[in-house]
Amino acid sequence: MSDELLVVKDLTTTFTTNSGPLTAVGGVSFTLGQNETLGIVGESGSGKTVLSRTIMGLQPRRNVTVTGSAIINGFEVVGASEKAKRQIWGTEVAMVFQDPMTSLNPVMRIGQQIDESLRVRLGMDRASAKARSIELLELVGIPSPVERYNSYPGHLSGGMRQRVVIATALACSPKLLMADEPTTGLDVTIQAQILNLLDELKDRLKMSVILVTHDLGVVATRTSRIVVMYAGRIVEIGDTRDVFYHHRMPYTRALLESSPKVSNHSHTRLQTIPGRPPNLMKLADGCSFAPRCAYATDQCHNVRPTLQAADETGHYFACWNPLPSNRGVRAP
Ligand SMILES: Nc1ncnc2c1ncn2[C@@H]1O[C@H](COP(=O)(O)OP(=O)(O)OP(=O)(O)O)[C@@H](O)[C@H]1O
Ligand code: SF4
Ligand SMILES: [Mg+2]
């Protein structure tokens, strides 16, 4: 068995819609090591959520075709039955979604919600489950966990609710935690607290984490590698530092220049990426970014670039006219 916790190969997710097939994720391949944090970034609609849900095997049963492979700790998710997937949900992989209210039952006490997965999945008795739930609430930094055990989600702030969701996700000690925009909608201070908590828990519990976001500032200091997605495909992937300082794909640069926390030039105007993301039902043959790219040539419009190695460090980009390599130039 490989050392990698997650191996994704040529993963493709196509929805059947009334207007025809829509490929939301196309030919995605990457690996994730033990105790590693990987960031997945890209504009809205680039396929980050569909990719995460596909890796978990959480796609709707109808009108969707998944091909390729996603192996979590030796378990092939693609093509697995719901029954088989239930064996790995919670114990091998768990997911924290953007809106904590959709993950929590508003009419059930938070402690009972955590108890439930402990009892159903780990077969704990009532008293042990309660004790473990209180421990988990404490682990995620909920003050007065014994009292909070009996609270309803509506009685907690947004940040505290997200902590409860994280506690629920951690209940069965998953090896991989997928966090899809876990801090969107929370104020900046609380966002940092939740992200710090995920960092801390990753090390304490020896998990791997996939952090999905459209905000490069979020992944800058918290990931070891980054996947940049555009129109459902990986257009650049590499160590975080390489993606930030030695990127070769014009879209990666545009994304960085449009990110307030990253560009850090309070005196200059932020660039917005001109044009709009492509319609996934009408993808042209060439590079999907071509209509918005200042460097586009005829070749870009006609032939899709495949990922090529920038160096030997696992840094790849998909572009016919890459930005010049600035290796050797000292990064800030
Ligand atoms: N069930 C579905 N049926 C048809 N199309 C879908 C379905 N779910 C997602 N899509 C389409 O797949 C594409 C990728 O969506 P996805 O939600 O993965 O984007 P995202 O990168 O997560 O965006 P955001 O940053 O806004 O969360 C979008 O064009 C979306 O409309
Ligand atoms: S392949 Fe061409 S259009 Fe696409 S990003 Fe590179 S230069 Fe721009
Ligand atoms: Mg999303």
Side-chain angles (χ1 to χ4, degrees):
M1 201 151 83
S2 86
D3 290 342
E4 307 291 358
L5 180 65
L6 171 68
V7 181
V8 176
K9 261 196 208 134
D10 208 15
L11 196 62
T12 299
T13 310
T14 303
F15 295 107
T16 307
T17 73
N18 291 338
S19 324
L22 182 154
T23 298
V25 171
V28 165
S29 304
F30 67 90
T31 59
L32 175 70
Q34 312 273 353
N35 205 214
E36 188 183 3
T37 302
L38 174 87
I40 300 183
V41 300
E43 283 173 296
S44 186
S46 56
K48 305 181 298 295
T49 295
V50 174
L51 173 60
S52 315
R53 295 182 71 97
T54 305
I55 290 170
M56 274 203 76
L58 271 178
Q59 286 306 341
R61 271 174 236 178
R62 288 168 179 212
N63 300 330
V64 61
T65 308
V66 177
T67 58
S69 165
I71 300 177
I72 302 174
N73 208 20
F75 178 92
E76 174 60 83
V77 175
V78 178
S81 66
E82 291 292 306
K83 192 174 165 208
K85 285 188 284 195
R86 262 182 246 125
Q87 301 294 314
I88 62 151
W89 287 336
T91 51
E92 297 289 342
V93 58
M95 193 154 175
V96 174
F97 297 99
Q98 178 178 332
D99 179 5
M101 268 330 246
T102 58
S103 319
L104 295 172
N105 182 342
V107 295
M108 203 171 164
R109 296 177 199 276
I110 58 170
Q112 286 170 321
Q113 303 197 35
I114 308 174
D115 283 10
E116 199 171 69
S117 52
L118 292 167
R119 294 178 64 191
V120 173
R121 310 201 51 95
L122 301 183
M124 282 189 181
D125 62 44
R126 198 178 285 266
S128 321
K130 181 171 180 181
R132 176 71 182 136
S133 297
I134 291 169
E135 242 174 60
L136 283 161
L137 290 173
E138 195 165 16
L139 179 76
V140 299
I142 303 266
S144 319
V146 178
E147 290 80 56
R148 281 303 181 196
Y149 176 91
N150 288 315
S151 299
Y152 289 96
H155 294 149
L156 302 179
S157 66
M160 284 298 152
R161 278 202 288 263
Q162 196 58 304
R163 284 174 192 266
V164 173
V165 172
I166 294 170
T168 313
L170 296 179
C172 306
S173 313
K175 297 182 186 70
L176 170 61
L177 186 70
M178 319 259 289
D180 187 0
E181 309 271 8
T183 59
T184 310
L186 299 175
D187 79 43
V188 180
T189 326
I190 310 291
Q191 277 191 18
Q193 287 172 7
I194 296 287
L195 293 166
N196 290 345
L197 172 70
L198 286 174
D199 262 358
E200 193 191 305
L201 292 170
K202 172 196 143 258
D203 287 333
R204 247 170 103 173
L205 307 175
K206 303 268 174 288
M207 287 186 298
S208 301
V209 174
I210 291 187
L211 194 53
V212 176
T213 176
H214 60 269
D215 182 348
L216 277 136
V218 162
V219 293
T221 54
R222 302 176 190 280
T223 57
S224 49
R225 283 196 311 139
I226 295 183
V227 162
V228 181
M229 290 192 71
Y230 190 76
R233 293 183 177 266
I234 295 183
V235 293
E236 189 146 14
I237 177 169
D239 289 351
T240 302
R241 209 169 170 75
D242 285 339
V243 170
F244 272 85
Y245 300 117
H246 306 292
H247 48 263
R248 307 294 303 280
M249 166 74 183
Y251 172 67
T252 306
R253 172 159 298 173
L255 204 58
L256 283 160
E257 284 175 347
S258 67
S259 178
K261 287 177 197 145
V262 175
S263 56
N264 210 12
H265 298 306
S266 50
H267 55 288
T268 53
R269 264 172 164 270
L270 280 174
Q271 313 267 329
T272 48
I273 306 179
R276 301 175 60 180
N279 179 343
L280 296 177
M281 304 237 240
K282 293 185 189 154
L283 280 185
D285 292 335
C287 172
S288 305
F289 191 53
R292 305 169 74 186
C293 181
Y295 306 88
T297 55
D298 281 352
Q299 185 186 28
C300 302
H301 287 283
N302 296 320
V303 190
R304 177 181 292 147
T306 51
L307 284 170
Q308 55 176 300
D311 51 38
E312 309 78 46
T313 66
H315 178 191
Y316 290 83
F317 62 87
C319 179
W320 292 123
N321 307 305
L323 300 166
S325 167
N326 64 356
R327 286 240 157 256
V329 179
R330 204 164 68 87

